[in-house]
Amino acid sequence: CAGGAAFQPSHESRGGVFGIPEYMPPIRRQTIRVIVALGEMYLKIQESAENYLETILMISERKPQVRSIDIVNELDYSKPSVSIAMKNLRENGYIHMDKDGFITLTDAGRNIAETMYERHKLLSRWLINLGVNEKTAVQDACRMEHVISAESFEAIKRHADRHLESESEHMQVSGPEHS
């Protein structure tokens, strides 16, 4: 999804807060701090990473190579924000960046990106079929794709697939002029 601000650790997350050791890697300290804070920020960190991975996948479907500047242009984020995000994704094993700055998804990164992209496309299509205007459907799907459980998504997917199949069969049997 193209949206949401990149996670930037606050000065509070750099040590000692909530009794988290100063020597712990920043991403680990932040995750622990967030879990202590009832998980609210953990969702934002995860959502931001998911958005970046999904964006890399989407760009890679249009272009043979992806660079940080492509992500900057796609998401309309600042270069420093994207640079920090790419560093975090690389350090956590979700992307690989070669010496020329070309970004590729690792298997773990690709799995997350494909999951988010599948959710985004299905939820957008489902909302549009329910009568939601396209712009709103896409925006809502972008938010929903990160918070919906796998179980709920699979149920919506089964329902949407059945509905779309029966709609398609109706179109074939009766012709488009009868729908």
Side-chain angles (χ1 to χ4, degrees), residues 65-67 90 96-104:
Q65 298 171 319
V66 179
R67 298 184 84 158
R90 189 175 62 250
H96 172 74
M97 190 177 293
D98 71 14
K99 61 180 176 43
D100 297 319
F102 295 116
I103 300 166
T104 54

Side-chain angles (χ1 to χ4, degrees), residues 129-141:
N129 272 345
L130 291 174
V132 177
N133 80 59
E134 185 176 356
K135 182 179 179 186
T136 302
V138 168
Q139 290 171 346
D140 288 348

Side-chain angles (χ1 to χ4, degrees), residues 64-82:
Q65 298 171 319
V66 179
R67 298 184 84 158
S68 291
I69 193 66
D70 300 318
I71 299 164
V72 166
N73 293 332
E74 183 83 13
L75 296 175
D76 198 27
Y77 289 172
S78 72
K79 289 179 186 179
S81 292
V82 171

Side-chain angles (χ1 to χ4, degrees), residues 169-179:
E169 289 169 6
H170 175 73
M171 293 279 289
Q172 291 172 356
V173 171
S174 62
E177 66 279 353
H178 293 99
S179 53

Side-chain angles (χ1 to χ4, degrees), residues 33-86:
R33 179 178 150 237
V34 168
I35 290 169
V36 171
L38 303 176
E40 265 184 51
M41 191 175 277
Y42 180 71
L43 177 63
K44 290 180 185 173
I45 295 167
Q46 186 175 355
E47 182 175 332
S48 176
E50 289 170 349
N51 278 336
Y52 279 111
L53 295 170
E54 182 182 10
T55 300
I56 293 166
L57 177 66
M58 291 167 55
I59 294 169
S60 71
E61 290 181 350
R62 296 191 313 260
K63 296 178 76 168
Q65 298 171 319
V66 179
R67 298 184 84 158
S68 291
I69 193 66
D70 300 318
I71 299 164
V72 166
N73 293 332
E74 183 83 13
L75 296 175
D76 198 27
Y77 289 172
S78 72
K79 289 179 186 179
S81 292
V82 171
S83 179
I84 290 167
M86 293 306 103

